[in-house]
Amino acid sequence: MKLQTLWWVLIGVIVISAGFYIYNDIYSKSVQEVVQNEEIQLEDGLILEEGSQGGITIAPIENKKNTISTPVPDLNQPIIFGDNVSDREKELATEKINKLTKELKKDSSFFSNWIELGLYRKSIGDYAGARDAWKYANVLQPLNFLPYNNLGDLYHFYLKDYPKSEENFQKAIEHSVENTGVYIGLHELYKYSYKQDTTSVVDILLEGIETVENDIDLLITLASYYKERGNIAKGDMVNAKKYYEQAREKAQKLGNTQLIEAITQEISNL
């Protein structure tokens, strides 16, 4: 069984404390897919969130009248479109962004609107607009991990500011120590782009494994990292087997037969 298959099996058992994730990778989807229904309906008191693994979380929020002294970002700033955005996609995104902007001009304390505005601007390639929206969301709710997590991903993959990416992921962890996705987001920063000559890529996953009780995806992420590296002299395959086996033990406690079989296949392929 391929590693990709294992991940899809794993998705079925992942539980994240902030809510439940819909595993549609927003980073790889076009804006048409993001806004294909032209409007994302939310019940009162719910917000859209984006994680480092992609996807959208729906979670409760507490909205308060804005008493923040920090200036509100320019809500009249132009909408910037990236390459390969169709006319129809531009039309739909513009309609939604304008709607959110109108609401925020009436009440700039509406946290979920800033989160959603950032999602739409990011989906069309307006990364500066997304950054500004999420930074202000941070001002409104400085103890909420979500804007930090979103900014961590944005600075890593799109704005290429790796120190700021690390800073935001670290703050996200500080405010949500049991959120698996944040540890993986920071792991990916170290794995692909930053501090690659250090042990940080492994250390952050070990920190998450120690902190998040009975988590499986962090163990599989670490095992997969060692498997991909595959340096026999450094014991990578031994470590890969070790963490796959730990993940399998936790899957056995959950009674997830499909996941157990998938992990067992990965072990046999080492």
Side-chain angles (χ1 to χ4, degrees):
M1 183 175 292
K2 295 181 178 180
L3 181 58
Q4 182 181 10
T5 303
L6 174 58
W7 277 111
W8 281 111
V9 174
L10 174 64
I11 284 171
V13 299
I14 294 176
V15 176
I16 297 179
S17 60
F20 58 89
Y21 274 77
I22 303 170
Y23 280 85
N24 292 324
D25 190 355
I26 194 170
Y27 309 132
S28 62
K29 289 184 179 293
S30 68
V31 68
Q32 182 177 11
E33 292 173 296
V34 175
V35 296
Q36 59 184 345
N37 294 322
E38 300 194 23
E39 184 172 354
I40 301 174
Q41 297 293 334
L42 292 178
E43 297 177 9
D44 291 340
L46 297 180
I47 62 170
L48 292 176
E49 306 166 352
E50 182 182 25
S52 66
Q53 297 297 293
I56 296 175
T57 303
I58 302 177
I61 62 101
E62 178 182 357
N63 190 47
K64 297 181 180 179
K65 190 66 178 177
N66 191 3
T67 58
I68 303 298
S69 59
T70 302
V72 177
D74 181 11
L75 289 168
N76 294 317
Q77 63 180 291
I79 301 172
I80 307 299
F81 295 99
D83 297 334
N84 303 318
V85 180
S86 71
D87 290 339
R88 178 56 177 165
E89 291 167 346
K90 291 178 181 179
E91 179 184 349
L92 293 175
T94 299
E95 179 181 347
K96 186 61 179 181
I97 289 172
N98 286 341
K99 179 177 181 294
L100 290 166
T101 298
K102 182 178 180 180
E103 293 173 357
L104 286 169
K105 285 181 178 180
K106 292 180 180 179
D107 183 1
S108 61
S109 70
F110 199 2
F111 176 86
S112 64
N113 274 6
W114 288 107
I115 295 295
E116 192 176 355
L117 180 62
L119 287 173
Y120 274 95
R121 285 191 175 271
K122 175 178 177 291
S123 71
I124 59 173
D126 187 357
Y127 305 134
R131 176 201 60 204
D132 293 345
W134 290 333
K135 286 181 70 175
Y136 195 71
N138 264 340
V139 173
L140 293 176
Q141 293 194 16
L143 300 183
N144 193 315
F145 84 98
L146 287 165
Y148 294 115
N149 184 65
N150 292 359
L151 286 166
D153 177 87
L154 188 73
Y155 280 122
H156 178 197
F157 291 110
Y158 302 94
L159 297 178
K160 310 296 184 183
D161 189 331
Y162 304 137
K164 285 187 178 179
S165 176
E166 180 186 42
E167 177 185 355
N168 278 277
F169 276 133
Q170 288 174 338
K171 287 181 178 178
I173 290 173
E174 178 183 345
H175 297 307
S176 185
V177 295
E178 293 191 352
N179 193 310
T180 300
V182 184
Y183 292 100
I184 294 177
L186 189 48
H187 162 77
E188 291 177 344
L189 172 67
Y190 295 140
K191 178 180 178 180
Y192 297 118
S193 307
Y194 191 54
K195 295 185 177 179
Q196 294 167 297
D197 58 344
T198 72
T199 62
S200 296
V201 66
V202 169
D203 292 343
I204 191 58
L205 292 179
L206 291 175
E207 178 185 335
I209 290 167
E210 182 177 348
T211 303
V212 186
E213 186 177 1
N214 295 323
D215 188 77
I216 297 178
D217 52 324
L218 288 171
L219 287 166
I220 289 180
T221 300
L222 184 53
S224 301
Y225 168 75
Y226 279 121
K227 179 182 177 181
E228 290 172 11
R229 211 169 63 159
N231 190 324
I232 297 176
K234 292 185 177 181
D236 286 345
M237 303 310 286
V238 172
N239 282 324
K241 182 179 180 181
K242 171 185 173 182
Y243 291 110
Y244 275 135
E245 288 178 342
Q246 289 184 19
R248 183 171 60 182
E249 289 176 6
K250 293 184 182 295
Q252 288 169 340
K253 291 180 180 179
L254 292 173
N256 189 321
T257 304
Q258 189 177 9
L259 182 57
I260 294 168
E261 292 176 353
I263 296 173
T264 299
Q265 185 63 53
E266 286 297 319
I267 294 172
S268 68
N269 290 337
L270 293 175

